Amino acid sequence: MLDSLLTADIPLGPFQDALITVRSAGSKSAKLHAGTTCTQLRSRDITTTQVPLNAETIGRMCSRCAEFGHWASPDSGLGIFLRALGGLGLLYQLQSYTAPDPDDCWEQDEVQAAAALLRTDPVEPAAVAGGEGEDDDEDPDEEDWEARDEAKRLRDSVLSTWRGAATSLHLAQAAVTLFPWLGQWAEPKLAVKQHYLEVLRAQAALFVGPEGLMAAAAAAAMEEPELSSGDEAFSAIGTGKEVGAQLKALWCEWQDEAGRGWEGPSARVPTSPTAPPAASAPTGRATPRPGPRSTNSSPLGRIWPGTLPRPRSPPRWSG
C-alpha cells in the first residue's frame, strides 16, 4: 500500500529545526500529534508545546499525523513544503510506478505476441467461407477477433500504464525542482521510476507503427479546410447548406479515423476520404457516375491531399 508518510531521512532544507506546535500525552516518550482530534491521541492529559522540526521529532510523530497532520499554516513556506510532500504529492509519486503491479501485470512475451497479432490483417469471414475439410464447429474469424480483443485490451493496459508512469515521473520531478535540497535524496528514487518508464515505453512502442503515428500526428495538426459547398460537382447531394454539412461531417470522420492509423491494420483507413454515399442524394436528382480519381482535378482532392507526407526515415517513437 502506498502512503505519503513523513520519514526522518527526508531533507528539510531551510525548514530544518523550524518550530512546530505538537500535542502529546504527559510522558516524555509519548507520540507527537498535529491536533487533539487525532484518533490515536487517547489521553485526557494532553500537553501542547513547540518543538523543532527535525529527524528526532519526525521519528516521534504518530503514523496518522505523520501522513495526514497539518503541522503548519497552509499558506506558510513550511505548510506549502509539507503539502507538496503529502497526499498525492512527492512521497506518494516516488513510490508509485516503480515496478509492475503484481495484481495487474503482463509478461514481455505476451506483449510481443499481442503486438505481432495487431500488426496483421484481421481474418475476414469471406476468407474462410466455403473452405473444404473444415470442421463446422470451428469459426476461425471469430477466434481471430476474440484474440484481437484480448490483444487490444492488453495494448490499452500497457499504454495506460505508460501514460500514468510518465505523468507520475513528471509530477515527482516537478516537486523536486521546486525544492532543490531534495535533489540528492530523491535522485535514486527517480532513477527507479525512469528505468520502469523506459521498460513501459519500449512495450508501448511495440503497438505503434512509426509511419502510422506520423500520419496520425499530421492529420491531427491539419486545420479544417475551406469547404467548397458551392461547387457544381456536389449539386447531386443537395443544397449548399446540405453540401456543407456533408463535407464537414466527412472531414471530421476522416480526421478521426486517420488519427487512429497508428493502431495497425484493424484501424487503418485510406488517407483520402471517400465520397458521400449516393443514398444521401435527394430523390429525383441524378447521381453522377464516378469517374477516374484525380487529386488534382476533383474538389475532394483539392480539399484533402491524396496522401500524407511520409518521413524520410521512420522516427524513433519515445515517451
Side-chain angles (χ1 to χ4, degrees):
M1 179 178 178
L2 303 182
D3 56 46
S4 53
L5 191 74
L6 272 178
T7 55
D9 64 315
I10 299 173
L12 300 174
F15 304 112
Q16 177 76 28
D17 294 326
L19 293 178
I20 59 172
T21 301
V22 300
R23 284 84 178 174
S24 65
S27 64
K28 293 182 178 181
S29 60
K31 289 292 184 178
L32 303 180
H33 304 268
T36 57
T37 57
C38 177
T39 56
Q40 296 187 28
L41 181 57
R42 301 183 178 90
S43 174
R44 294 184 178 180
D45 182 17
I46 299 175
T47 301
T48 301
T49 186
Q50 285 193 320
V51 297
L53 179 63
N54 51 36
E56 181 182 357
T57 298
I58 293 176
R60 289 185 58 194
M61 290 179 179
C62 86
S63 57
R64 181 177 178 81
C65 290
E67 183 171 4
F68 303 109
H70 299 288
W71 298 100
S73 170
D75 297 330
S76 66
L78 177 58
I80 293 172
F81 173 62
L82 294 178
R83 193 164 65 249
L85 293 178
L88 296 178
L90 178 62
L91 299 181
Y92 176 87
Q93 299 303 335
L94 288 177
Q95 297 175 74
S96 63
Y97 294 104
T98 57
D101 185 343
D103 296 328
D104 183 23
C105 60
W106 46 80
E107 300 295 334
Q108 179 67 18
D109 57 348
E110 292 181 275
V111 176
Q112 292 173 334
L117 176 62
L118 294 178
R119 284 195 295 269
T120 62
D121 292 316
V123 175
E124 299 293 342
V128 297
E132 297 181 0
E134 293 182 356
D135 189 341
D136 292 340
D137 294 335
E138 295 181 357
D139 196 347
D141 61 304
E142 184 175 345
E143 293 177 1
D144 178 71
W145 282 109
E146 288 178 355
R148 287 179 183 277
D149 285 342
E150 289 293 333
K152 289 177 180 178
R153 279 193 285 270
L154 178 56
R155 177 196 64 193
D156 293 344
S157 295
V158 171
L159 292 176
S160 176
T161 304
W162 168 65
R163 288 192 296 267
T167 299
S168 177
L169 178 61
H170 171 74
L171 292 174
Q173 289 174 329
V176 172
T177 300
L178 290 174
F179 309 104
W181 59 87
L182 294 172
Q184 186 175 358
W185 169 81
E187 184 177 355
K189 300 174 178 61
L190 292 174
V192 173
K193 292 177 66 65
Q194 289 170 335
H195 174 73
Y196 183 50
L197 177 62
E198 176 57 25
V199 171
L200 291 171
R201 186 209 64 79
Q203 292 180 340
L206 294 175
F207 293 100
V208 180
E211 291 188 1
L213 180 64
M214 198 70 168
M222 293 174 66
E223 297 181 358
E224 183 176 323
E226 183 178 350
L227 304 176
S228 307
S229 57
D231 197 304
E232 292 183 1
F234 298 123
S235 60
I237 296 177
T239 65
K241 184 177 181 180
E242 292 171 333
V243 170
Q246 285 275 13
L247 293 179
K248 185 175 179 64
L250 182 62
W251 160 256
C252 293
E253 179 183 357
W254 175 83
Q255 190 177 44
D256 179 67
E257 293 294 333
R260 297 176 58 235
W262 61 269
E263 296 181 22
S266 59
R268 190 172 299 140
V269 296
T271 52
S272 290
T274 56
S280 64
T283 306
R285 297 196 180 203
T287 303
R289 185 173 298 175
R293 278 190 162 186
S294 171
T295 57
N296 295 324
S297 59
S298 106
L300 279 177
R302 292 197 298 270
I303 296 174
W304 296 284
T307 57
L308 291 170
R310 286 190 175 185
R312 293 182 180 178
S313 60
R316 180 181 181 273
W317 183 71
S318 62

